[in-house]
Amino acid sequence: MFTIKPYKSPVEEKTGVRPPPKEQLRCVIVVPKTPAAGSPWSWRGYYFDHEPQTEVELLNRGFHVGFVLADAGKAWDVWYTFLSDECFDS
């Protein structure tokens, strides 16, 4: 069973993403300064800060970027449903 709840990152985390507590998963949404029409978004797994050139360009173009800190599978499906139904008009 998956439950999604908001999480406020600790100040000392700064721009990085620490591993979540045991038996929890984490999804980070990066919001562009100026969202593009239709609120487009992109999806990425695990590596929040590794080779971010594509995500930086998408943010510059107004995309929201979601990082899911989990292997592909049921957790991704749950996050995708939540993001599409609750956060973005799809």
Side-chain angles (χ1 to χ4, degrees):
M1 171 103 180
F2 290 90
T3 302
I4 295 177
K5 64 181 181 177
Y7 173 79
K8 179 76 172 158
S9 60
V11 173
E12 61 272 9
E13 192 171 71
K14 299 186 182 186
T15 60
V17 177
R18 292 187 179 167
K22 188 174 180 172
E23 297 190 20
Q24 292 185 11
L25 302 173
R26 194 162 169 198
C27 181
V28 176
I29 306 298
V30 182
V31 179
K33 289 181 182 178
T34 306
S39 294
W41 59 287
S42 178
W43 194 235
R44 183 165 181 177
Y46 268 109
Y47 305 105
F48 178 74
D49 58 355
H50 179 71
E51 298 291 336
Q53 301 90 326
T54 300
E55 286 71 28
V56 168
E57 183 59 30
L58 287 171
L59 286 165
N60 288 336
R61 292 176 183 226
F63 280 67
H64 295 70
V65 179
F67 293 89
V68 181
L69 303 176
D71 289 326
K74 183 65 176 168
W76 278 56
D77 295 344
V78 171
W79 279 116
Y80 182 85
T81 299
F82 174 76
L83 293 171
S84 348
D85 293 351
E86 301 296 325
C87 298
F88 303 102
D89 295 326
S90 53

